[in-house]
Amino acid sequence: MISVLSTRVMNHGQQFRAFSLRDPNKSDVNLSPFIGVDHAWMSGPTFAPHPHAGLSAVSYLFLDSETGIINQDSIGTKNIIKPGGLHWTAAGKGIVHEEVPAEVGKTVHSLQIFVDLKDKTMPPQALTIEAEDVPTLHQPGIHIRVPVGEYQDAKSSLDVPTKVTILDISVEPNKEIELEIPEGQSAFLLPIFGEFSVDNHIFNLTSQQVPVVYPKPAKRVVKVSASALGAKFVGFLGQPS
């Protein structure tokens, strides 16, 4: 049994567009411990340096991103997040940061993910995993990258302050993955391209719908079937706050 949430289209000038998902914060429907996620395309500087506090702001770049992101913040971090890499900013008691495309005229394809932070007064910190260090799993017709958390035999090297798992999953046409969800954890699956079904519900990017699976006291398996188009989606797993 799943619930369904909807994304909304967000545009910022001509250089930024996104499908945006936010936690409705209802007792029967929520994304906890995630606050929200933007599936975005950015082709130029969009947001001036801006503050965050009491949460983590996470940037994940897809491997098909045309360029990386130049990231810098008020605690002295300055780095380039390359395609396939992930940067986790735990804002804690407060941080100011800015992210812009690394190359003019090229488009960043990424996720901006917001995660609840239990210790909202912790000193801010920045954590990065490079694309080549992201563990991967290969199964017949299925490819899984694990930039954060762990899944089966793959475990990310990042030690993040909120224990969640983020899975970048590609499924070949007409193949099926049995997605394992640990006991007590919820999950939602964000469509990136192609099309997949869960419990006879069809999901793709343009439908602007996202399946949400809620915690159970025992480990369970959710079957996700790719259509003839194949499917790419990102799974977000974690124990609700």
Side-chain angles (χ1 to χ4, degrees), residues 62-208:
F62 291 107
L63 286 167
D64 68 356
S65 182
E66 294 177 355
T67 188
I69 284 178
I70 298 174
N71 169 82
Q72 52 187 342
D73 61 39
S74 56
I75 61 173
T77 308
K78 185 170 184 179
N79 64 311
I80 296 179
I81 312 167
K82 299 176 183 178
L86 179 143
H87 185 85
W88 184 296
T89 300
K93 62 183 180 182
I95 196 170
V96 176
H97 81 156
E98 181 183 27
E99 294 183 335
V100 299
E103 297 175 86
V104 176
K106 294 187 176 182
T107 299
V108 173
H109 183 203
S110 69
L111 297 178
Q112 185 72 43
I113 306 156
F114 302 98
V115 188
D116 194 19
L117 197 57
K118 185 175 182 180
D119 184 0
K120 301 184 187 305
T121 61
M122 66 174 283
Q125 61 175 287
L127 306 165
T128 297
I129 185 167
E130 302 291 348
E132 60 268 24
D133 297 325
V134 173
T136 60
L137 290 169
H138 298 276
Q139 302 169 358
I142 299 166
H143 179 78
I144 305 172
R145 306 183 83 239
V146 190
V148 176
E150 58 185 301
Y151 186 76
Q152 295 182 356
D153 296 330
K155 183 176 182 179
S156 171
S157 60
L158 282 186
D159 185 13
V160 297
T162 304
K163 301 306 179 186
V164 297
T165 293
I166 299 173
L167 305 174
D168 181 347
I169 302 173
S170 299
V171 184
E172 293 180 2
N174 302 313
K175 297 290 186 180
E176 181 179 82
I177 178 173
E178 295 188 343
L179 187 64
E180 300 171 4
I181 302 177
E183 60 180 281
Q185 292 194 13
S186 60
F188 63 95
L189 310 179
L190 187 72
I192 305 302
F193 62 73
E195 187 174 79
F196 64 88
S197 63
V198 180
D199 283 356
N200 296 315
H201 295 269
I202 296 174
F203 300 93
N204 54 51
L205 184 63
T206 55
S207 73
Q208 295 183 234

Side-chain angles (χ1 to χ4, degrees), residues 8-64:
R8 63 182 179 88
V9 175
M10 179 173 64
N11 293 298
H12 196 285
Q14 295 184 348
Q15 68 270 13
F16 182 90
R17 63 187 178 94
F19 290 94
S20 181
L21 179 68
R22 290 294 180 270
D23 188 354
N25 199 26
K26 298 179 180 178
S27 59
D28 58 336
V29 183
N30 63 78
L31 302 177
S32 181
F34 296 92
I35 298 169
V37 56
D38 297 329
H39 174 200
W41 294 261
M42 179 171 61
S43 57
T46 303
F47 303 104
H50 54 280
H52 288 295
L55 52 72
S56 291
V58 183
S59 296
Y60 175 65
L61 271 63
F62 291 107
L63 286 167
D64 68 356

Side-chain angles (χ1 to χ4, degrees), residues 1-5 28-30 187-188 199 203 210-214:
M1 185 69 180
I2 62 169
S3 294
V4 176
L5 292 178
D28 58 336
V29 183
N30 63 78
F188 63 95
D199 283 356
F203 300 93
V210 177
V212 183
V213 182
Y214 292 107

